[in-house]
Amino acid sequence: MTVSQPLTAPWWGADLLDSHPGDAVWAHTCRDVTWAELRDRVKESIGIFAAHGIGPGGSVALRLPPSLTGIWSLLALWSLGAQVQLLDHRLKPAEVQRILDLCEPRHYVHFTDRAGTQFQDECEVYVEWRRGSRRAVTDHCLVQFSSGSTGLPKVIGRTPASLRAELDSFAALDGMPRDGERILLLNSTIHSLGLIGGVLHAMRVGATLVFTPGLQPHALLRTLAEKQIDVVFGVPFHYDLLSRIQDPPALPRLRLAVSGGERLGEEVHRRFEERYGLRIGQAYGMTETGIVATDLRGEAAPPVVGRVVPGMHTRVSDGELWVRMARSPYLQDVGAERYADGWLNSKDLARFCQGDGTLRITGRSDSLVAVGGLKVDLIEIEQELARHPAVREAVVVHGDGIEAHLAAPDGLSVSEILEFARERLSNFKIPRRFHIRTELPRTANGKLLRTAELLHAAYAADGPPGRPGGGTPARHPEGSQERRGDTA
């Protein structure tokens, strides 16, 4: 673990909280929330957390559903000088326990599973003191988590200086939300773009955040129109929903639509422009680094993601994008091998376009994929599914969604493996399709096939179940089975 000066100072962003008139609207949900109310709720939360012994140098795991409570709880913990470890509310108990065991936070702030997953004003908060835990031992104020190929998450730290630098990068970009504008924020507020480019940037400039509890296409469109939204931040899934609405009404106030979190498809980019007369912009970054490149106005089409932002230094080596960082962002051994000599390997396949110097991202060089704006490691899913006693081999690939290909010679049903997966994996990690066979197809030299296209081609070549002389062994009696739905 990287050891440095523990965090002891009060919140690094106190000026963000105190620099706007009390009667101005900070956020809108089903009602207006003023800056005065925000400050009062942060102050109230500070008192509650302090009464539980949270203070400078404290380490706190924070797991709350999308809510105003989640935002002012984070601000309150920062105000107390605590290091905050942000956990996704969708994590299953086993996943949460792995993180708690790994990071050993002194306090665990959480909610009940009955709180729901849609954005809400407030939720109940439980503060749990953990025996055998420890205080923060580094100067990171924010700790986030990304899937790890070993089954353990990558533990990623951000210092106050790095968050300030990212806010400065956003402020230097032409087109970012301004004072008095309204931002429909659809990105998760615990991930980098939603938290830093959305919540903290809006606080800095005085823009109003707008949250909506539902993601039905017409409800989103109604919010854009009725709330006179100027800027929308979302992931490709949100723009896909909006672009499927036939003959939408004019949105004269909407001047910017920015997508981040995963690769934006060319078809969604084209269809959205046809419907609304506005090109989707892009914001490309990583949990480890924050924002790297942007094309806010959508001047280029995907897979181009824009130009490198001010203050960020990058290079492409052997087809992979590397980002300059003064120190490793990893607080544990997992993922640390990606950082060397002041450079972090993004594992994204990239190249700079000749002429304009824009950055083009074409894929990944490892097993990490994005689902609904969330990073998912396919190897982690493989390892969890392989724990089922009936599974002899597992291959998880990303084709039209996540697919699991399982060898279960003694028999296994989709319902059995689905129940097993739901106990161990977040819903957004559960494969959309399960293919169950007696054995999995291999290459000529005996290696398992690991692309969706090759696997499906092998199944097609195998012919009917049990055909003698087939290219791969006979299928499980239930055949290749699939399940759709249960996406994030």
Side-chain angles (χ1 to χ4, degrees):
M1 172 176 286
T2 302
V3 177
S4 55
Q5 183 64 33
L7 179 70
T8 58
W11 185 34
W12 53 273
D15 57 312
L16 302 184
L17 193 58
D18 298 332
S19 58
H20 302 288
D23 59 354
V25 177
W26 164 65
H28 179 86
T29 54
C30 57
R31 63 186 181 89
D32 285 342
V33 181
T34 65
W35 279 89
E37 181 178 351
L38 172 63
R39 289 192 278 266
D40 287 344
R41 299 311 296 266
V42 170
K43 183 177 180 180
E44 176 185 312
S45 299
I46 288 172
I48 294 171
F49 293 142
H52 283 83
I54 299 175
S59 58
V60 182
L62 178 64
R63 177 176 174 258
L64 295 177
S67 59
L68 298 180
T69 303
I71 296 174
W72 57 57
S73 293
L74 173 61
L75 300 181
L77 291 168
W78 273 342
S79 298
L80 287 166
Q83 179 186 87
V84 181
Q85 303 163 7
L86 278 182
L87 277 63
D88 196 300
H89 69 284
R90 289 165 291 198
L91 295 177
K92 297 297 177 67
E95 295 171 305
V96 171
Q97 193 59 52
R98 282 200 293 270
I99 292 177
L100 296 179
D101 291 343
L102 188 64
C103 297
E104 300 179 312
R106 180 61 58 86
H107 291 86
Y108 176 35
V109 178
H110 59 98
F111 68 110
T112 66
D113 290 336
R114 295 188 299 274
T117 59
Q118 293 185 329
F119 195 94
Q120 53 200 273
D121 272 22
E122 300 183 51
C123 65
E124 285 187 297
V125 176
Y126 296 83
V127 182
E128 177 184 329
W129 178 79
R130 302 184 68 252
R131 187 180 301 276
S133 55
R134 61 185 179 186
R135 292 167 56 82
V137 296
T138 70
D139 62 347
H140 301 93
C141 62
L142 175 65
V143 177
Q144 295 168 288
F145 302 91
S146 179
S147 294
S149 59
T150 63
L152 292 175
K154 296 183 180 71
V155 184
I156 299 163
R158 298 291 300 273
T159 64
S162 72
L163 295 180
R164 275 288 186 187
E166 186 173 359
L167 281 173
D168 289 342
S169 293
F170 275 118
L173 296 174
D174 181 37
M176 280 293 286
R178 305 181 291 258
D179 182 19
E181 289 193 315
R182 289 192 161 201
I183 308 168
L184 177 59
L185 186 58
L186 302 174
N187 298 85
S188 169
T189 55
I190 72 164
H191 297 128
S192 293
L193 181 59
L195 175 60
I196 303 165
V199 173
L200 297 183
H201 174 80
M203 292 178 66
R204 190 182 206 184
V205 302
T208 297
L209 295 165
V210 178
F211 299 100
T212 180
L215 292 180
Q216 295 80 10
H218 287 282
L220 289 177
L221 185 59
R222 187 164 54 250
T223 298
L224 287 168
E226 293 179 357
K227 304 307 177 186
Q228 301 185 61
I229 300 298
D230 301 282
V231 177
V232 57
F233 281 176
V235 299
F237 169 75
H238 301 126
Y239 296 109
D240 183 37
L241 291 179
L242 287 168
S243 68
R244 294 181 182 277
I245 298 176
Q246 299 291 334
D247 301 319
L251 300 171
R253 285 285 298 269
L254 185 63
R255 67 169 186 84
L256 202 68
V258 180
S259 177
E262 64 179 290
R263 186 174 177 180
L264 176 66
E266 296 180 39
E267 174 62 21
V268 173
H269 186 271
R270 179 195 61 78
R271 197 167 61 229
F272 188 88
E273 183 180 11
E274 288 179 352
R275 295 284 192 272
Y276 300 96
L278 182 70
R279 294 171 70 90
I280 302 173
Q282 295 191 74
Y284 164 76
M286 298 183 293
T287 304
E288 290 89 336
T289 65
I291 193 68
V292 174
T294 59
D295 174 21
L296 296 182
R297 301 186 189 279
E299 296 175 358
V304 174
V305 295
R307 293 178 174 81
V308 176
V309 300
M312 189 64 66
H313 300 279
T314 61
R315 75 182 188 199
V316 174
S317 178
D318 295 327
E320 295 179 320
L321 180 70
W322 292 72
V323 180
R324 182 74 175 173
M325 299 188 73
R327 58 197 272 196
S328 172
Y330 300 111
L331 307 190
Q332 304 282 348
D333 291 337
V334 177
E337 76 284 351
R338 290 173 53 177
Y339 180 83
D341 300 325
W343 290 89
L344 178 76
N345 188 347
S346 71
K347 295 294 184 178
D348 282 325
L349 300 176
R351 67 179 177 87
F352 288 105
C353 302
Q354 293 184 351
D356 61 5
T358 53
L359 182 64
R360 184 184 184 97
I361 302 294
T362 59
R364 293 285 299 180
S365 63
D366 64 5
S367 61
L368 205 65
V369 299
V371 177
L374 305 172
K375 295 297 188 293
V376 176
D377 196 301
L378 302 181
I379 299 298
E380 176 193 359
I381 301 174
E382 278 187 14
Q383 292 175 336
E384 288 302 313
L385 296 180
R387 297 180 189 275
H388 192 287
V391 175
R392 180 173 295 176
E393 292 179 316
V395 170
V396 177
V397 297
H398 190 259
D400 181 18
I402 298 175
E403 301 178 9
H405 299 257
L406 308 175
D410 297 325
L412 176 67
S413 70
V414 169
S415 59
E416 289 173 333
I417 192 63
L418 184 55
E419 180 181 359
F420 184 84
R422 283 173 171 163
E423 292 175 351
R424 290 159 176 80
L425 296 167
S426 299
N427 289 347
F428 63 87
K429 297 179 184 178
I430 296 176
R432 294 181 64 190
R433 296 181 178 88
F434 288 92
H435 297 268
I436 303 174
R437 302 171 63 86
T438 56
E439 291 186 22
L440 296 181
R442 298 175 179 272
T443 65
N445 60 3
K447 294 184 177 181
L448 290 169
L449 296 181
R450 286 195 168 274
T451 69
E453 294 81 6
L454 291 177
L455 283 163
H456 289 295
Y459 298 157
D462 187 33
R467 189 191 71 171
T472 56
R475 298 178 182 180
H476 181 275
E478 291 187 40
S480 290
Q481 305 168 43
E482 65 179 64
R483 179 186 62 83
R484 294 180 180 272
D486 273 353
T487 55

